Amino acid sequence: MKKMIKLLMSATMLLGLAACGGAGEQQGSDSTAAGNSTAEGASFDYADVKIGVLGHMQSGETLDALTVYMDALSEEVGFSYEYVVGSSYDEQTNITAVQNLIASGVDGIVLAIDSGTPAILQECEAAGVFLSAFITDMDSSFDELKSSDYYLGNVNDGLYDTSSIGEKAAELVIKDGNTNVGIVTFPLLYFPQKSAAIQAFTKTIESHNDTATEPIEIYETQELSFSALEDTYFNNYPELDSILSLASGFVHPTMVSADKTDVDLYTTGFKKDDLDAFENGEMRMMTLSNVEAVALPVAMILNAVAEKPFADQPEEAERIDTSVVFVTNEEELTALEEKCFYFTADIDQAFISPEDFTQYLTAYNPDASYEEFKEVLVNMSMEDLMAK
């Protein structure tokens, strides 16, 4: 029904009939709209466009930064958005949340979660609502989604190939002189892409062992079912001196409670509460993805609503990489604290400013390029941050 309404509105616009206030209204050079969307050259009024964002975050730095960023984009362009909390494992919670968003009149939904996604897509298709995703690799559902006209693709939580994380952690383990290392991860059944990090880590260590006078022993991988590492882990491996954690936030608290902060931790994920542990040398590596990467799925929804997709947009949806930001030393930590939007929530430090964002909306810039936007997302690394 929503799609039919938009088609009828488009036909009305072609006949030159002016209408007030609907999503799909053509914008003249002297018209006014919400936010700053009156920039010359804009050919679409987004004032009545609403985007839903569904994620598992209830609080924390990621949600704080995402909120500031979405506020800035919506103010610049004129659309509105609503963030709702879903579940990492309860499909029905997410399906119900999407049904509620659709009932509220959203034109598109950005998922920061992957549970119940095929059923969610069916709901969106039936309602004529576009779907995209952010900081999720969609491993459980991507093949079922990618050919739908209503699924626009997803931006991964960093690089889909996680090998670089494993390689970086292994290099640091070797540099730090550690010789007994454990690997902890979320279930590989649900996060199979983490296997690439484990394999790269193992391969790098094994290559080192070929010539090392003191080889490094790698213990059996421990999979966590979304619960904290148990204290008994350290009893099982009394010689342990380091851990590669692919289970963000679920290892360090146990190290503290078990009085094992002398073990070096190389972990994915980042929280401001971890800064003391990093500065004390307990954490030797942290990673994060830039929330500015949400700009691409939002832009694709806005372009789809305006019926103006990127000219170079592929017919089938893609997984899209974004930079992994590694923090491994004091210089990089300083750059994070002073220059990273994720940390400061200062919109002036965003890799993609709200003004730049409009140039990826085809209603503002008919020559906007999907491939160029993808290239921007993989040039938001620590090196790029330090070069600011």
Side-chain angles (χ1 to χ4, degrees):
M1 184 65 180
K2 183 176 287 187
K3 186 174 180 67
M4 182 62 69
I5 291 171
K6 289 175 182 173
L7 289 174
L8 290 172
M9 292 179 70
S10 296
T12 301
M13 290 187 288
L14 289 173
L15 292 172
L17 300 177
C20 295
E25 181 184 57
Q26 290 283 351
Q27 180 176 331
S29 60
D30 60 349
S31 67
T32 59
N36 299 319
S37 61
T38 56
E40 287 189 18
S43 60
F44 192 89
D45 185 354
Y46 289 104
D48 280 355
V49 174
K50 181 180 179 181
I51 294 176
V53 182
L54 174 62
H56 67 277
M57 300 89 69
Q58 299 186 44
S59 61
E61 290 94 81
T62 299
L63 183 57
D64 292 345
L66 179 63
T67 300
V68 172
Y69 195 63
M70 289 295 295
D71 285 350
L73 296 187
S74 62
E75 180 179 357
E76 182 69 27
V77 177
F79 68 91
S80 62
Y81 79 97
E82 179 181 356
Y83 177 82
V84 294
V85 179
S87 170
S88 296
Y89 54 86
D90 187 339
E91 294 188 0
Q92 190 54 54
T93 294
N94 298 331
I95 294 167
T96 300
V98 164
Q99 290 170 336
N100 292 337
L101 283 171
I102 290 172
S104 76
V106 297
D107 298 274
I109 297 173
V110 178
L111 299 178
I113 209 163
D114 181 16
S115 178
T117 318
I120 286 171
L121 178 61
Q122 291 178 8
E123 297 283 346
C124 290
E125 288 175 331
V129 169
F130 296 103
L131 187 67
S132 63
F134 160 66
I135 60 172
T136 175
D137 306 310
M138 289 294 175
D139 270 310
S140 73
S141 57
F142 182 75
D143 288 341
E144 297 180 63
L145 310 177
K146 62 183 180 181
S147 60
S148 172
D149 291 339
Y150 286 90
Y151 186 66
L152 304 177
N154 59 280
V155 173
N156 299 318
D157 186 7
L159 303 176
Y160 184 70
D161 183 348
T162 59
S163 298
S164 61
I165 293 174
E167 291 170 357
K168 174 71 79 172
E171 290 167 0
L172 291 169
V173 167
I174 294 167
K175 180 181 177 181
D176 291 342
N178 291 315
T179 56
N180 296 275
V181 58
I183 301 174
V184 180
T185 183
F186 288 136
L188 296 176
L189 175 65
Y190 301 113
F191 298 93
Q193 76 279 11
K194 294 183 182 294
S195 295
I198 295 171
Q199 291 167 6
F201 180 82
T202 302
K203 182 178 179 180
T204 303
I205 295 297
E206 288 176 345
S207 178
H208 164 78
N209 285 348
D210 288 340
T211 57
T213 54
E214 188 174 6
I216 297 171
E217 182 176 359
I218 302 175
Y219 300 131
E220 182 179 357
T221 298
Q222 173 78 41
E223 296 187 35
L224 302 180
S225 297
F226 305 104
S227 58
L229 181 69
E230 295 183 358
D231 290 1
T232 53
Y233 180 78
F234 298 100
N235 296 330
N236 294 336
Y237 304 110
E239 302 301 320
L240 184 81
D241 56 24
S242 51
I243 295 175
L244 166 62
S245 170
L246 303 172
S248 308
F250 284 77
V251 173
H252 186 256
T254 303
M255 290 171 55
V256 173
S257 64
D259 195 24
K260 290 292 183 179
T261 53
D262 57 335
V263 173
D264 288 341
L265 179 62
Y266 309 83
T267 184
T268 55
F270 166 81
K271 301 192 305 296
K272 290 181 181 178
D273 289 344
D274 293 333
L275 290 180
D276 286 345
F278 186 85
E279 291 172 346
N280 292 338
E282 300 164 21
M283 289 188 176
R284 299 288 296 114
M285 183 186 85
M286 302 182 293
T287 69
L288 64 143
S289 302
N290 295 286
V291 295
E292 298 98 301
V294 75
L296 179 52
V298 170
M300 293 185 74
I301 287 175
L302 294 178
N303 288 348
V305 170
E307 299 182 359
K308 300 173 183 287
F310 291 110
D312 58 344
Q313 186 171 320
E315 291 186 9
E316 194 168 79
E318 294 183 322
R319 288 190 179 104
I320 302 161
D321 281 337
T322 186
S323 298
V324 177
V325 178
F326 288 96
V327 184
T328 65
N329 56 50
E330 289 295 330
E331 184 181 10
E332 292 171 349
L333 179 61
T334 298
L336 179 81
E337 293 176 316
E338 295 180 352
K339 300 180 179 181
C340 183
F341 171 74
Y342 184 103
F343 188 93
T344 67
D346 181 352
I347 196 64
D348 291 335
Q349 294 179 325
F351 275 113
I352 304 169
S353 71
E355 295 82 4
D356 290 340
F357 172 73
T358 63
Q359 295 309 301
Y360 292 104
L361 300 182
T362 49
Y364 286 82
N365 175 19
D367 297 324
S369 168
Y370 171 82
E371 289 296 331
E372 288 181 7
F373 208 157
K374 285 171 57 179
E375 188 66 21
V376 170
L377 297 193
V378 293
N379 286 283
M380 300 192 299
S381 66
M382 175 55 72
E383 290 74 19
D384 299 303
L385 192 66
M386 295 177 73
K388 280 186 177 182

